[in-house]
Amino acid sequence: MKQMPEIAQKDNPVLRKIADDVPLGEIMSSRIQRVIKDMKNTLRPHKDGVAIAAPQIGVPLRIFVVSGHIFNEEALLEDDKSKSKEEDLVFINPKITKLSRDKKAMSEGCLSVRWIYGEVRRASKLTVTAYDEYGKKFTRGASGLLAQIFQHEIDHLNGILFIDKAKRVEEIQPLK
Ligand code: ZN
Protein backbone atom coordinates (compact mmCIF):
# COMPACT_ATOMS: atom_id res chain seq x y z
CA MET A 1 0.00 0.00 0.00
CA LYS A 2 1.22 3.48 -0.83
CA GLN A 3 1.91 5.52 2.26
CA MET A 4 -0.17 8.65 2.75
CA PRO A 5 1.68 11.96 2.62
CA GLU A 6 2.35 13.59 5.96
CA ILE A 7 0.93 17.02 6.64
CA ALA A 8 3.71 19.63 6.37
CA GLN A 9 4.26 21.46 9.65
CA LYS A 10 4.74 25.19 10.07
CA ASP A 11 8.50 25.53 9.52
CA ASN A 12 8.40 23.55 6.25
CA PRO A 13 9.36 25.97 3.42
CA VAL A 14 6.73 24.48 1.07
CA LEU A 15 4.10 26.28 3.19
CA ARG A 16 5.74 29.64 2.41
CA LYS A 17 5.85 29.33 -1.40
CA ILE A 18 3.37 30.99 -3.71
CA ALA A 19 1.76 27.94 -5.28
CA ASP A 20 1.54 27.64 -9.07
CA ASP A 21 -1.66 27.47 -11.11
CA VAL A 22 -2.57 24.03 -12.38
CA PRO A 23 -2.44 24.10 -16.21
CA LEU A 24 -6.10 23.56 -17.17
CA GLY A 25 -5.21 20.87 -19.69
CA GLU A 26 -3.58 18.84 -16.92
CA ILE A 27 -6.49 18.67 -14.45
CA MET A 28 -7.49 15.22 -15.75
CA SER A 29 -3.89 13.96 -15.87
CA SER A 30 -2.94 11.10 -13.59
CA ARG A 31 -0.45 13.37 -11.79
CA ILE A 32 -3.07 15.95 -10.74
CA GLN A 33 -5.76 13.33 -10.05
CA ARG A 34 -3.23 11.58 -7.77
CA VAL A 35 -2.58 14.85 -5.87
CA ILE A 36 -6.34 15.37 -5.36
CA LYS A 37 -6.79 11.79 -4.16
CA ASP A 38 -3.84 12.12 -1.77
CA MET A 39 -5.30 15.35 -0.37
CA LYS A 40 -8.71 13.74 0.27
CA ASN A 41 -7.16 10.66 1.86
CA THR A 42 -4.82 12.75 4.02
CA LEU A 43 -7.67 14.97 5.25
CA ARG A 44 -10.17 12.20 5.98
CA PRO A 45 -8.72 10.75 9.23
CA HIS A 46 -8.51 14.22 10.84
CA LYS A 47 -11.84 14.69 12.55
CA ASP A 48 -11.07 18.32 13.32
CA GLY A 49 -9.80 19.04 9.81
CA VAL A 50 -12.30 20.76 7.54
CA ALA A 51 -10.09 21.43 4.53
CA ILE A 52 -6.60 20.96 3.13
CA ALA A 53 -4.46 22.82 0.60
CA ALA A 54 -2.00 21.06 -1.74
CA PRO A 55 1.11 22.74 -0.19
CA GLN A 56 0.17 21.02 3.09
CA ILE A 57 1.03 17.68 1.48
CA GLY A 58 4.18 19.15 -0.07
CA VAL A 59 2.74 20.01 -3.50
CA PRO A 60 3.05 23.72 -4.43
CA LEU A 61 -0.04 23.85 -6.67
CA ARG A 62 -3.21 25.94 -6.35
CA ILE A 63 -5.66 23.29 -5.17
CA PHE A 64 -7.69 22.98 -1.98
CA VAL A 65 -10.26 20.42 -0.84
CA VAL A 66 -13.11 21.08 1.60
CA SER A 67 -14.42 18.09 3.51
CA GLY A 68 -17.93 17.00 2.55
CA HIS A 69 -19.14 16.95 6.13
CA ILE A 70 -18.93 20.75 6.27
CA PHE A 71 -21.50 20.99 3.49
CA ASN A 72 -23.80 18.66 5.37
CA GLU A 73 -23.58 20.86 8.42
CA GLU A 74 -24.27 23.96 6.41
CA ALA A 75 -26.99 22.11 4.47
CA LEU A 76 -25.60 23.63 1.32
CA LEU A 77 -26.20 20.60 -0.84
CA GLU A 78 -29.96 20.64 -0.46
CA ASP A 79 -30.35 21.95 -3.96
CA ASP A 80 -28.42 19.01 -5.38
CA LYS A 81 -29.64 15.75 -3.93
CA SER A 82 -28.06 13.71 -6.72
CA LYS A 83 -24.66 14.28 -5.19
CA SER A 84 -23.46 12.20 -2.30
CA LYS A 85 -23.76 14.36 0.79
CA GLU A 86 -20.33 13.31 1.96
CA GLU A 87 -18.60 14.33 -1.24
CA ASP A 88 -15.52 16.50 -0.77
CA LEU A 89 -15.40 19.68 -2.83
CA VAL A 90 -12.30 20.40 -4.91
CA PHE A 91 -11.19 23.94 -5.83
CA ILE A 92 -8.48 24.29 -8.49
CA ASN A 93 -6.95 27.71 -9.30
CA PRO A 94 -9.48 29.47 -7.01
CA LYS A 95 -9.98 33.22 -7.36
CA ILE A 96 -11.92 35.44 -5.00
CA THR A 97 -14.24 37.48 -7.20
CA LYS A 98 -16.20 39.23 -4.43
CA LEU A 99 -15.28 39.95 -0.83
CA SER A 100 -17.49 41.68 1.73
CA ARG A 101 -16.09 44.72 3.49
CA ASP A 102 -17.73 43.44 6.65
CA LYS A 103 -15.29 41.39 8.72
CA LYS A 104 -15.62 39.13 11.73
CA ALA A 105 -13.05 37.81 14.18
CA MET A 106 -13.27 34.02 14.07
CA SER A 107 -11.48 31.32 16.02
CA GLU A 108 -9.08 29.37 13.82
CA GLY A 109 -6.62 26.47 13.81
CA CYS A 110 -4.70 24.57 11.14
CA LEU A 111 -3.54 21.00 10.49
CA SER A 112 -0.08 22.46 9.74
CA VAL A 113 0.14 24.47 12.97
CA ARG A 114 -0.43 22.00 15.80
CA TRP A 115 -1.82 22.80 18.39
CA ILE A 116 -2.11 26.54 18.10
CA TYR A 117 -5.39 28.45 17.92
CA GLY A 118 -6.12 32.12 17.51
CA GLU A 119 -8.58 34.69 16.27
CA VAL A 120 -8.41 35.95 12.71
CA ARG A 121 -10.49 38.72 11.17
CA ARG A 122 -12.01 37.41 7.95
CA ALA A 123 -14.47 38.85 5.47
CA SER A 124 -17.87 37.50 6.43
CA LYS A 125 -18.94 36.79 2.83
CA LEU A 126 -17.20 36.08 -0.44
CA THR A 127 -17.55 34.54 -3.88
CA VAL A 128 -14.95 32.17 -5.31
CA THR A 129 -14.55 31.02 -8.90
CA ALA A 130 -12.53 27.83 -9.46
CA TYR A 131 -12.29 24.63 -11.51
CA ASP A 132 -13.50 21.32 -10.12
CA GLU A 133 -11.63 18.02 -10.37
CA TYR A 134 -13.13 17.40 -13.83
CA GLY A 135 -11.91 20.75 -15.15
CA LYS A 136 -15.33 22.39 -15.04
CA LYS A 137 -15.44 26.04 -14.00
CA PHE A 138 -17.84 26.94 -11.18
CA THR A 139 -18.66 29.83 -8.88
CA ARG A 140 -19.62 29.48 -5.25
CA GLY A 141 -20.69 32.02 -2.68
CA ALA A 142 -20.12 31.46 1.01
CA SER A 143 -20.64 33.09 4.37
CA GLY A 144 -19.74 32.28 7.97
CA LEU A 145 -17.61 29.18 8.56
CA LEU A 146 -17.37 28.32 4.86
CA ALA A 147 -16.22 31.84 3.96
CA GLN A 148 -13.58 31.57 6.69
CA ILE A 149 -12.39 28.20 5.33
CA PHE A 150 -12.09 29.51 1.76
CA GLN A 151 -9.98 32.48 2.92
CA HIS A 152 -7.76 30.28 5.11
CA GLU A 153 -7.15 27.84 2.24
CA ILE A 154 -6.45 30.54 -0.36
CA ASP A 155 -3.96 32.05 2.11
CA HIS A 156 -2.17 28.66 2.09
CA LEU A 157 -1.82 28.93 -1.70
CA ASN A 158 -0.15 32.31 -1.20
CA GLY A 159 2.32 31.10 1.44
CA ILE A 160 0.38 32.64 4.33
CA LEU A 161 -0.40 30.85 7.60
CA PHE A 162 -3.17 31.97 9.96
CA ILE A 163 -0.64 32.60 12.74
CA ASP A 164 0.75 35.47 10.60
CA LYS A 165 -2.55 37.30 11.22
CA ALA A 166 -3.97 35.78 14.40
CA LYS A 167 -4.58 37.53 17.70
CA ARG A 168 -5.04 35.94 21.12
CA VAL A 169 -2.89 33.00 20.04
CA GLU A 170 -2.84 30.10 22.48
CA GLU A 171 -1.72 26.49 22.54
CA ILE A 172 -4.34 23.90 23.36
CA GLN A 173 -3.12 20.31 23.48
CA PRO A 174 -5.67 17.69 22.50
CA LEU A 175 -7.12 15.46 25.22
CA LYS A 176 -5.28 12.19 25.44
ZN1 ZN B 1 -4.44 25.49 7.34
Side-chain angles (χ1 to χ4, degrees), residues 64 90-95 128-132 136-140:
F64 71 84
V90 178
F91 293 75
I92 299 169
N93 302 348
K95 288 214 164 53
V128 172
T129 296
Y131 293 84
D132 69 14
K136 196 168 165 248
K137 198 173 187 178
F138 68 97
T139 296
R140 180 147 205 152

Side-chain angles (χ1 to χ4, degrees), residues 30 37 39 43 50 60 83 95 116 127 131 164 168 170:
S30 53
K37 207 171 186 184
M39 290 171 71
L43 177 62
V50 290
K83 268 192 177 175
K95 288 214 164 53
I116 306 290
T127 304
Y131 293 84
D164 303 348
R168 298 174 199 243
E170 57 182 340

Side-chain angles (χ1 to χ4, degrees), residues 51-53 56 108-113 152-153 156 160-162:
I52 192 165
Q56 292 182 278
E108 214 158 305
C110 179
L111 293 171
S112 291
V113 192
H152 177 113
E153 297 309 316
H156 271 304
I160 298 165
L161 296 176
F162 85 96

Side-chain angles (χ1 to χ4, degrees), residues 27 47 56 82 95 145 158:
I27 290 176
K47 279 193 198 123
Q56 292 182 278
S82 62
K95 288 214 164 53
L145 175 62
N158 293 324

